[in-house]
Amino acid sequence: MTETSPTRLVLCADDYGLAPGVDAAIRDLIAAGRLTATSVMSLCPHWRPDAAALRELKDKADVGLHFTLTDQPPLGPMPLLAPNGRLPPLGRLMGWAYRGKLNGAAVRAEIRAELSRQLDAFTQSWGGPPDHIDGHQHVHQLPGIREAVVDALAALNSALPGAPAGAYVRLCGEPVAAILRRGVAVPKTLLIGGLGGGLTRMARARGIPANSRFAGVYDFAGKRPFAELMPRFLDGLDGGSGSRPLIMVHPGLPDAELRRVDSLVEPRRAEYDYLRGPEFAALLERRAIRLTRFAGFAL
């Protein structure tokens, strides 16, 4: 009887740097082998003091930039996007993107300058370039922003031609049939995936490495336990040879700072408890899933 090869999967926790409790939870899960990637909000004040503890785990997980253009103070002046010193909410940024307001030379220069500052803040504290770039609230997919992200990734890969896989980008698209079968936050998942067609085409044209499947979107309302959602996220992710599935998660340990800066609090605790517990380990074993870093897809 032939043994079935395991399905490899990148499990990526977003929002490192947002709050000490988020950072501690992510580090604990990486150390336990329950995460293989994390994305850093390098414009947040907790990134610099919490980078050293994450560096101790650098061989266990990919660490990338979670490019942020919503709700936070930018790292430098952005008179067009953040005239009052705070980046716009997602809905406003999306409206600007699809009305062409991010296409002007001046606003594009602002976006590229802020991306450069966030990359510099990442590199200075991490000691090297990011393994990947994605976007907080998926803003890296938006027109006027995706061009800067792809150019930055191409520059990183040109500077590091010997890297095992190259810096990669998170793609958020999924086949519509797969989203419908999963039945989790269907309208939200379709919207997020539908925004990514332009980024997908650009990444392929430029030879930027990327995941081939994506899951992890839900409504954070807590109506369904996370233990019921994760098996659905795993359904159908093995696309055969060459498949590179990625699931995003948002674990955290609630603390005063998290409650101050973000509305997503208790769902983070629920995710952390599940990912740290025996039920998740049993699910991975039952489904023959091996958590991997992105370079592990080539093995």
Side-chain angles (χ1 to χ4, degrees):
M1 183 175 179
T2 303
E3 185 177 348
T4 303
S5 298
T7 296
R8 289 183 168 89
L9 167 70
V10 171
L11 188 60
C12 182
D14 288 358
D15 301 345
Y16 194 91
L18 180 63
V22 170
D23 298 355
I26 290 173
R27 292 195 304 269
D28 185 53
L29 290 169
I30 291 173
R34 302 295 175 86
L35 291 173
T36 52
T38 188
S39 296
V40 170
M41 299 176 74
S42 67
L43 82 174
C44 291
H46 301 287
W47 162 236
R48 184 182 293 273
D50 282 357
L54 186 60
R55 278 200 306 272
E56 296 179 7
L57 302 166
K58 66 180 181 178
D59 295 331
K60 291 180 172 290
D62 295 336
V63 178
L65 177 69
H66 204 42
F67 184 34
T68 302
L69 284 176
T70 57
D71 297 321
Q72 302 290 329
L75 289 177
M78 299 185 76
L80 296 175
L81 283 185
N84 298 316
R86 181 169 290 273
L87 290 157
L90 177 61
R92 188 182 306 163
L93 186 69
M94 287 179 63
W96 289 345
Y98 286 99
R99 290 198 300 271
K101 291 192 174 184
L102 304 186
N103 288 332
V107 72
R108 287 196 176 211
E110 278 195 6
I111 291 168
R112 289 175 181 270
E114 181 63 16
L115 176 55
S116 179
R117 288 189 290 262
Q118 292 186 27
L119 282 167
D120 287 347
F122 178 98
T123 300
Q124 289 169 10
S125 293
W126 183 245
D131 293 307
H132 61 270
I133 300 177
D134 55 41
H136 183 53
Q137 297 181 316
H138 315 292
V139 299
H140 65 304
Q141 301 188 112
L142 298 178
I145 299 171
R146 61 197 181 201
E147 294 85 356
V149 169
V150 169
D151 284 349
L153 285 161
L156 286 172
N157 290 339
S158 177
L160 297 170
Y168 60 96
V169 65
R170 178 196 293 178
L171 301 180
C172 303
E174 271 283 271
V176 172
I179 293 171
L180 295 176
R181 282 195 302 271
R182 188 179 300 142
V184 177
V186 170
K188 181 178 179 181
T189 308
L190 288 172
L191 174 61
I192 291 171
L195 298 176
L199 176 63
T200 299
R201 291 189 292 273
M202 292 174 62
R204 288 173 178 167
R206 300 285 293 274
I208 306 298
N211 56 298
S212 62
R213 301 292 300 272
F214 176 74
V217 178
Y218 68 105
D219 60 12
F220 301 117
K223 294 178 181 178
R224 300 169 70 176
F226 194 69
E228 292 183 9
L229 298 176
M230 182 57 77
R232 289 180 175 268
F233 294 152
L234 297 176
D235 286 344
L237 284 185
D238 182 12
S241 177
S243 180
R244 300 177 302 279
L246 182 150
I247 294 178
M248 69 167 182
V249 290
H250 298 81
L253 296 170
D255 57 19
E257 178 64 5
L258 179 59
R259 291 187 174 92
R260 186 183 71 83
V261 300
D262 195 60
S263 61
L264 183 60
V265 177
E266 291 307 322
R268 293 182 189 270
R269 184 201 301 272
E271 289 194 27
Y272 170 77
D273 289 344
Y274 174 77
L275 294 171
R276 193 67 172 85
E279 189 175 353
F280 181 51
L283 175 65
L284 295 177
E285 183 175 0
R286 188 165 61 251
R287 297 283 189 95
I289 291 171
R290 179 181 300 168
L291 300 183
T292 184
R293 299 178 66 177
F294 191 84
F297 289 133
L299 300 177

